[in-house]
């Protein structure tokens, strides 16, 4: 990190505060699929149980 005039300049490594990789896309995909299944079950099961 270096100060230039009245602002601070950082390189790409310093600017990236988040974790990259670590199979984040798989966690997001699994969460999305699980959410769709749970919400669908909440909607479908009561409809099937009605007389």
């Amino acid at each position: 990190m270096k100060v230039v005039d009245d602002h601070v300049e950082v390189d790409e490594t310093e600017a990236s505060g988040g974790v990259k990789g670590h199979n984040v896309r798989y966690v997001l995909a699994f969460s999305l699929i699980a959410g769709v299944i749970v919400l669908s079950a909440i909607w479908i099961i009561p409809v099937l149980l009605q007389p």
Side-chain angles (χ1 to χ4, degrees):
M1 177 169 43
K2 64 181 181 176
V3 177
V4 177
D5 294 329
D6 60 343
H7 65 278
V8 177
E9 292 184 0
V10 294
D11 61 10
E12 182 180 346
T13 305
E14 292 173 334
S16 176
V19 176
K20 295 181 181 178
H22 300 304
N23 301 321
V24 173
R25 71 181 68 115
Y26 299 117
V27 172
L28 292 174
F30 177 76
S31 299
L32 177 63
I33 292 168
V36 168
I37 291 171
V38 168
L39 291 174
S40 295
I42 290 172
W43 173 57
I44 293 171
I45 291 173
V47 171
L48 293 175
L49 295 177
Q50 287 182 353

